[in-house]
Each structure stands twice: as C-alpha cells, then as structure tokens.
Amino acid sequence: MDEKLKTRRLGHENEHQHNSSINTLEQLKAFCRKSNIIIKPTLDKLVHSCPNESKVQLLSKLGIYFSHLNGTVKNTGTITSMLLCGEGTQKTKKKINQFLSTDDCDIKAIALSPVVKSISSICHGNGFPKARDVDALLKLPSLQKDGQLDRKRLSSISSINHGKGVPKILDTLLKGQEPIELEGGKPENDEPFSIFRV
C-alpha cells in the first residue's frame, strides 16, 4: 500500500468508527446517500440474499467497504457485482459467506484502491478478492510502465477478462511471460530466483 493510500486510510478511520454501528439496510442506505454513493437495486437483492443470522455482519462489512470507498466510485455496484450471482442463489450465498470471512483490513484495502472499478470488473460474479491477490496483480511487470501501474493497460485487461477472477488472470498473464533466472544464487529451497519479462 503506498503512502497516499495509507494517508487516506488513516483519514477514514474516525469516519468508520462513527459508521461501525450500521446494522440495518436503511442505515446503510442513509450512509450511502450522505456520502453521495448512488444506491443500485442490486444492493437490496444482495442483502435479501443473506441468511437472517448473518445480515447484521454483512451490513457491518458493507459499511466498512462504503466508508472507505475510493472517491471516484459513485455507486454501490462495485461490490454487488462481485457478490451477487442472482438473488437468493446458492452461488450468491457462497460469495456472501466468503465476504463475511474477509478481514476488515482487506476490505478497506480493496475499497481504497484507485483501480477498484477494474478490480470489480475482473471479479464480477467471482466474489470479493483477497488483497494479496490484487496486490500481486497490480505489481506484475506486464502492467507497469515507467515504474508505475499502467492504468490503461489494466483497464483493457479488466474489460477483456470481465468476470474471470483475479487468480485466473494472474495465471493467464504469467503464462505469457518467460521466466529469467537471476544471478546471485538460489533460495533455501533450491528453486531459482525468477522475474518475468513482458
């Protein structure tokens, strides 16, 4: 996480503590309205797909996500598109359960990402990604330009790979790169060091 994201995360901590008492859909919607986040009909479908005994936990996790959401995102669709696979379906319930087991710090990291829209597109219907998988994706040499993430390239990849999921994208992108053995020996497990050339 770069310094900018760390600063934004700290800036959101007090706001999240204030919003941690979100435990009804109406409270969540009120928070979204106050934050100028457009509420898509899919938010209701997502919450109604959650078993009653887990609803308060889901609303709390969604509150964390929305209270840390990147300022360029103006609607609830980034997260509902990842978790909702048809209202009340078993697949949706499975994605919700996976989301409920996600650490709050991972939820914050994804929400704060300046490329959350691309992440959402890649993870459409595949559930909430692990922050470490997203981090690995964003650090791939094939997505770098002049030492920084090439957002245009990421946007193209997210469009082409809509709904494929981050681990699958990583595998696909890594297959197209040839490993190069580095000088300087081998690690303890005797596997050669390698980087990937675009």
Side-chain angles (χ1 to χ4, degrees):
M1 204 53 64
D2 65 13
E3 288 303 313
K4 221 178 205 181
L5 290 182
K6 284 181 186 174
T7 305
R8 286 185 61 195
R9 183 189 298 171
L10 290 173
H12 285 286
E13 290 300 321
N14 289 339
E15 186 179 347
H16 170 61
Q17 287 171 4
H18 178 70
N19 295 316
S20 62
S21 62
I22 291 175
N23 53 25
T24 69
L25 181 55
E26 286 313 310
Q27 288 173 336
L28 183 64
K29 286 181 175 182
F31 172 75
C32 288
R33 286 187 205 100
K34 183 180 172 190
S35 302
N36 295 318
I37 298 170
I38 296 167
I39 300 161
K40 298 280 191 177
T42 51
L43 183 63
D44 286 275
K45 291 178 181 179
L46 177 66
V47 174
H48 292 140
S49 297
C50 183
N52 287 332
E53 63 273 13
S54 303
K55 270 190 181 143
V56 171
Q57 186 184 2
L58 174 64
L59 291 164
S60 176
K61 295 266 188 192
L62 290 172
I64 291 167
Y65 180 82
F66 291 127
S67 65
H68 290 84
L69 194 57
N70 180 317
T72 62
V73 177
K74 301 296 183 194
N75 67 64
T76 58
T78 53
I79 194 161
T80 59
S81 73
M82 292 188 270
L83 301 179
L84 189 64
C85 309
E87 187 173 358
T89 65
Q90 285 302 324
K91 192 172 179 185
T92 294
K93 289 175 183 176
K94 182 179 176 185
K95 301 305 175 195
I96 289 171
N97 282 334
Q98 290 168 345
F99 179 63
L100 294 178
S101 67
T102 303
D103 287 340
D104 292 354
C105 60
D106 278 3
I107 294 172
K108 293 173 192 177
I110 300 297
L112 285 168
S113 174
V115 292
V116 70
K117 287 181 183 176
S118 293
I119 295 166
S120 175
S121 175
I122 291 169
C123 294
H124 181 86
N126 274 274
F128 200 80
K130 291 180 171 65
R132 70 171 188 260
D133 290 341
V134 171
D135 193 44
L137 173 67
L138 300 182
K139 288 180 179 174
L140 280 175
S142 58
L143 292 178
Q144 307 305 308
K145 184 177 180 180
D146 300 325
Q148 293 193 3
L149 176 67
D150 184 340
R151 291 193 191 189
K152 283 186 178 179
R153 189 173 291 178
L154 177 64
S155 181
S156 296
I157 286 172
S158 74
S159 295
I160 293 166
N161 293 285
H162 179 74
K164 301 278 175 77
V166 173
K168 292 176 189 171
I169 298 305
L170 281 172
D171 290 344
T172 302
L173 291 175
L174 290 174
K175 281 179 188 170
Q177 300 174 354
E178 53 183 273
I180 308 163
E181 193 168 315
L182 295 177
E183 295 180 24
K186 297 180 178 182
E188 291 176 21
N189 64 3
D190 287 335
E191 291 291 321
F193 287 107
S194 65
I195 59 173
F196 294 89
R197 178 193 293 144
V198 179

